[in-house]
Amino acid sequence: MLTTTAHYRRRAAEFNDEEKSGDHVPSALEGEEALFRDIGCNHSFHVFPMTKYSFSQKGIPDKWVLWAERCWVNASWGVNSLRKNVERSLFTFLLLMLVVSAVLKYSFSIHGGGKSDIAGQKIAGRENEILFVHNFNNNILSMAQKALSIPEPSSPVDSLKRKMKQFPVSKMWMKPNSDNFYKCIARKRNTIDAGYESNGYLLVHANGGLNQMRTGICDMVAVAKIMNATLVLPSLDHESFWTDPSDFKDIFDWKHFIDVLKTDVKIVENLPPEFSSVKPFVKAPVSWSKASYYRHEILPLLKKHKVIKFTHSDSRLSNNALVPSMQKLRCRANYEALRYTPEIEELGKVLVERLRDDGEPYIALHLRYEKDMLAFTGCNHNLTANETNELREMRYRVKHWKEKEIDSTERRLQGGCPMSPREAALFLKAMDYPTSTKIYIVAGEIYGENSIQGLRQEYPNVFSHSTLATASELEPFIKYQNRLAALDHIVALDSDVFFYTYDGNMAKAVQGHRRFEGFKLTINPDRLNFVRIIDSFDNGMISWEEFASEVKRLHRNRRGAPYLRKAGQVPRLEESFYANPFPGCVCDRQQQQKKKEQLLDVRREQRVIALQ
């Protein structure tokens, strides 16, 4: 089993316990610590035996030698302490100088904005000033880093503990490198003018499951902004597969939602009394539409009827054909405004704490091996004949599922089926995740009589909200699937690894949020090729070592690292904006720096031309 950072923390704690035990004998590792602890006015042993031997040959009394040794040890300790204090003082001074340099740099940047008639030597002089401050900053930072790198005097025990805590985390738990990327969704100014007048009221019926409704609501916030409309708190879908009666206020902190977006869009709890009797104009907007569609086709209808109701909200805006400010607004709605109720947020955090009670990491496994998903996709791998027939009957009962006759084997070979629990277990094992790993199931009830055993045989520490929470804690949520899905969303978002076995709305929403929060480790399995190699392994065509090696190779670059969102020939085939908010809500420092440098070059050229 590979060892994690938390394991070394426990080892350090065990070392502490040994130190505190009554029958503990100082070891060689504790020599320095024991030395300074035992030195005192009445000690009667020699710290340096060779010293005693040398002076005894010259007839010097033993007491004098003991006194000299004590003085030497105390002096050495005092020097070490003084050095530590000097280093701290030096570091404080360097930090102060860094602040002063920043102030100087700011003062340089705001004086003499540079009119068109500035002489060439003045431009050069200003650039020299900036260069001086930049170099001064770098020197200060370098000196501060050197000061920090000087180790403080410590015992071998403390040194060993630091090494344990700094032991590198195994690669399997490490998130992709994203040091150059940062969130960039701040609004430049208050976008609602003092004389704001709404063109009308927008009623929205958010359709689908929790995450489908969530992203749809974010689209509707942007649509309301495009049309200069007042958004009424959306109503939620009560007729989807789960028939959850929860409404907006039952799942989301509605006051927080309105407050966060108040400088972007006007949002009200209900229609005002003067419009309550107005019959809204009902419309299903076209999917993946551009902003021009809402301005030219929907806005005239809004102005005419004053109240318009959208019957669908999911995927009603283009992924890419929007101005940057509108993309940032969608992210502010999703990642800042749509916060769950305090009750949901609190229990979600409790579940995360219980998973991490021993300091170990955990995996959130989005295992889409649920009855409705298998019926919809027509997948029945590893299921019994009776279970297969039950799924087929369900598929025919649901009228809005257009595809009825599905070849399960062919679909699986095309990579169109969710991974089974056994396939997910073998995948994780091939990726070297130890069998002791805690796995939190982010899904509903797993379908199939013995399906979940395929996972538990390899990973016995399998949990869900129903096993982590007490009956009393779950009681307010147990009858409401969307509220339980909100709990799963919180646990999945905070997990050390998010591994999804099928591309659904939750997989898109969570992976996009994790990208926004710093590109947390998210495994996107290559189902098409995985089916090929696991079938080869099951048929005895390749060994376990070959299987594991191929799984690692295929997924070396499928860990949620930054990349630009993929466009498509048609909007339906584009990568979802909510699955990858880069570009739009995540920015690249290197690219931003290049743009600034290019802009500075253009301005310099303009100044030179103006002076000629």
Side-chain angles (χ1 to χ4, degrees):
M1 185 196 312
L2 295 180
T3 313
T4 61
T5 305
H7 172 72
Y8 285 88
R9 292 196 187 102
R10 288 202 306 275
R11 290 288 306 278
E14 291 167 2
F15 204 100
N16 261 334
D17 294 337
E18 291 176 5
E19 286 183 325
K20 295 174 183 178
S21 63
D23 58 351
H24 174 63
V25 178
S27 65
L29 284 174
E30 301 170 274
E32 184 182 347
E33 189 169 335
L35 170 64
F36 292 116
R37 181 176 64 244
D38 294 334
I39 290 298
C41 295
N42 299 320
H43 80 284
S44 58
F45 63 91
H46 284 274
V47 180
F48 309 108
M50 290 302 296
T51 305
K52 175 186 176 182
Y53 177 80
S54 299
F55 283 99
S56 64
Q57 295 296 317
K58 298 181 180 181
I60 299 176
D62 188 63
K63 291 182 178 181
W64 292 12
V65 177
L66 288 170
W67 179 83
E69 287 177 351
R70 183 166 65 249
C71 290
W72 172 260
V73 171
N74 289 338
S76 299
W77 182 256
V79 169
N80 285 335
S81 299
L82 178 62
R83 187 183 71 172
K84 179 172 67 175
N85 292 332
V86 169
E87 288 166 4
R88 289 176 177 171
S89 300
L90 175 61
F91 180 64
T92 302
F93 172 75
L94 292 176
L95 284 179
L96 179 61
M97 294 301 293
L98 182 62
V99 173
V100 172
S101 69
V103 174
L104 288 173
K105 183 173 181 179
Y106 177 74
S107 65
F108 285 150
S109 65
I110 62 174
H111 288 90
K115 298 180 181 179
S116 60
D117 60 345
I118 295 178
Q121 61 270 23
K122 290 186 177 180
I123 297 174
R126 170 170 171 72
E127 291 175 354
N128 287 336
E129 291 172 346
I130 296 174
L131 181 61
F132 164 76
V133 175
H134 177 73
N135 290 337
F136 184 68
N137 265 338
N138 287 341
N139 291 337
I140 290 294
L141 283 172
S142 178
M143 294 169 66
Q145 289 171 351
K146 289 179 180 179
L148 278 175
S149 65
I150 300 175
E152 293 185 1
S154 62
S155 70
V157 175
D158 292 332
S159 177
L160 179 60
K161 290 175 183 176
R162 281 199 301 272
K163 289 179 181 178
M164 289 177 175
K165 290 181 180 180
Q166 295 170 359
F167 194 88
V169 179
S170 297
K171 185 178 180 180
M172 73 182 80
W173 299 107
M174 292 177 63
K175 77 181 191 69
N177 181 21
S178 59
D179 293 343
N180 291 324
F181 298 85
Y182 64 98
K183 303 175 185 178
C184 52
I185 64 171
R187 62 178 68 81
K188 294 184 178 180
R189 60 183 177 83
N190 188 331
T191 57
I192 293 185
D193 299 327
Y196 171 85
E197 289 187 9
S198 173
N199 287 320
Y201 291 88
L202 177 60
L203 301 174
V204 173
H205 173 70
N207 62 297
L210 174 68
N211 293 282
Q212 188 175 350
M213 291 190 291
R214 183 186 180 104
T215 55
I217 290 169
C218 298
D219 279 356
M220 292 302 104
V221 169
V223 168
K225 180 67 177 178
I226 292 169
M227 299 194 302
N228 197 25
T230 298
L231 177 66
V232 180
L233 279 184
S235 62
L236 303 188
D237 194 341
H238 301 155
E239 298 178 359
S240 61
F241 177 79
W242 299 111
T243 62
D244 186 333
S246 301
D247 221 327
F248 192 95
K249 293 181 180 180
D250 299 317
I251 299 175
F252 301 107
D253 187 339
W254 67 278
K255 292 182 179 178
H256 177 79
F257 177 72
I258 293 175
D259 184 63
V260 169
L261 298 172
K262 64 184 178 183
T263 56
D264 293 302
V265 179
K266 188 173 181 181
I267 305 174
V268 295
E269 184 180 357
N270 298 295
L271 277 174
E274 59 269 28
F275 288 94
S276 59
S277 60
V278 175
K279 184 177 180 180
F281 181 82
V282 180
K283 178 75 173 176
V286 176
S287 299
W288 293 291
S289 296
K290 298 179 180 179
S292 58
Y293 165 77
Y294 290 97
R295 290 195 186 100
H296 299 150
E297 296 191 35
I298 305 299
L299 181 56
L301 296 173
L302 178 65
K303 290 181 176 180
K304 177 181 178 180
H305 298 279
K306 291 302 179 183
V307 180
I308 193 168
K309 180 179 180 179
F310 287 162
T311 58
H312 293 76
S313 63
D314 64 313
S315 305
R316 303 296 143 167
L317 265 182
S318 169
N319 290 301
N320 298 306
L322 291 177
V323 296
S325 61
M326 207 58 62
Q327 300 286 51
K328 296 180 190 299
L329 174 57
R330 290 208 280 185
C331 286
R332 285 198 295 275
N334 195 16
Y335 305 133
E336 294 184 351
L338 278 178
R339 186 173 68 188
Y340 297 119
T341 63
E343 295 79 12
I344 294 175
E345 291 280 348
E346 182 179 352
L347 183 54
K349 292 176 182 177
V350 168
L351 299 185
V352 171
E353 289 173 359
R354 288 174 184 169
L355 284 166
R356 290 211 174 101
D357 61 352
D358 57 357
E360 296 287 351
Y362 71 92
I363 295 174
L365 175 58
H366 189 38
L367 191 59
R368 293 308 313 273
Y369 217 67
E370 302 151 309
K371 185 176 182 179
D372 63 322
M373 177 54 64
L374 294 176
F376 174 74
T377 58
C379 299
N380 54 35
H381 184 63
N382 287 341
L383 296 178
T384 66
N386 289 336
E387 291 167 344
T388 299
N389 290 332
E390 187 177 8
L391 294 177
R392 188 173 184 274
E393 292 173 0
M394 179 180 181
R395 184 164 63 252
Y396 273 87
R397 283 198 307 269
V398 181
K399 296 180 180 179
H400 62 272
W401 289 354
K402 298 179 180 179
E403 198 173 8
K404 303 299 182 182
E405 286 297 326
I406 302 173
D407 187 328
S408 175
T409 301
E410 181 181 357
R411 174 150 296 183
R412 178 174 174 272
L413 292 175
Q414 293 172 347
C417 286
M419 295 170 72
S420 70
R422 175 182 176 270
E423 289 172 335
L426 292 181
F427 180 97
L428 292 173
K429 185 178 179 181
M431 293 291 284
D432 289 336
Y433 287 99
T435 58
S436 61
T437 300
K438 291 181 180 179
I439 296 179
Y440 182 89
I441 301 297
V442 183
E445 183 179 355
I446 303 304
Y447 186 70
E449 184 177 356
N450 297 312
S451 293
I452 196 64
Q453 295 306 316
L455 176 64
R456 291 187 184 275
Q457 284 176 1
E458 298 290 346
Y459 294 92
N461 295 324
V462 177
F463 301 91
S464 66
H465 53 246
S466 59
T467 59
L468 277 178
T470 65
S472 59
E473 289 172 332
L474 275 183
E475 196 275 330
F477 313 104
I478 197 65
K479 296 180 181 179
Y480 309 99
Q481 291 299 321
N482 285 330
R483 300 183 208 182
L484 293 175
L487 289 175
D488 286 348
H489 188 138
I490 294 171
V491 179
L493 180 62
D494 205 40
S495 65
D496 299 275
V497 178
F498 178 60
F499 172 33
Y500 59 95
T501 62
Y502 193 73
D503 302 309
N505 291 301
M506 185 168 199
K508 293 175 183 177
V510 173
Q511 68 175 297
H513 202 159
R514 288 172 68 86
R515 283 189 167 105
F516 180 74
E517 294 295 340
F519 295 91
K520 296 181 177 182
L521 177 53
T522 301
I523 299 177
N524 169 22
D526 182 350
R527 294 193 307 277
L528 177 64
N529 284 304
F530 181 77
V531 167
R532 171 180 56 82
I533 59 176
I534 195 172
D535 285 351
S536 297
F537 171 69
D538 286 340
N539 293 329
M541 299 171 62
I542 60 174
S543 66
W544 169 258
E545 289 72 20
E546 291 171 319
F547 169 78
S549 176
E550 184 66 3
V551 170
K552 292 185 183 74
R553 186 191 66 80
L554 284 173
H555 298 88
R556 189 177 299 128
N557 298 317
R558 301 176 72 94
R559 298 162 58 86
Y563 66 86
L564 293 172
R565 188 170 54 257
K566 298 175 183 177
Q569 294 182 348
V570 295
R572 184 184 295 272
L573 300 179
E574 291 179 335
E575 184 177 16
S576 168
F577 171 78
Y578 295 105
N580 184 7
F582 172 58
C585 303
V586 176
C587 294
D588 185 344
R589 287 189 179 89
Q590 290 183 341
Q591 292 296 326
Q592 295 297 316
Q593 184 61 31
K594 287 181 181 178
K595 290 181 181 179
K596 289 180 181 178
E597 291 173 357
Q598 291 172 356
L599 181 60
L600 183 59
D601 290 341
V602 171
R603 289 177 177 175
R604 285 173 178 168
E605 291 177 3
Q606 291 174 343
R607 290 180 181 180
V608 171
I609 293 172
L611 291 171
Q612 290 177 349

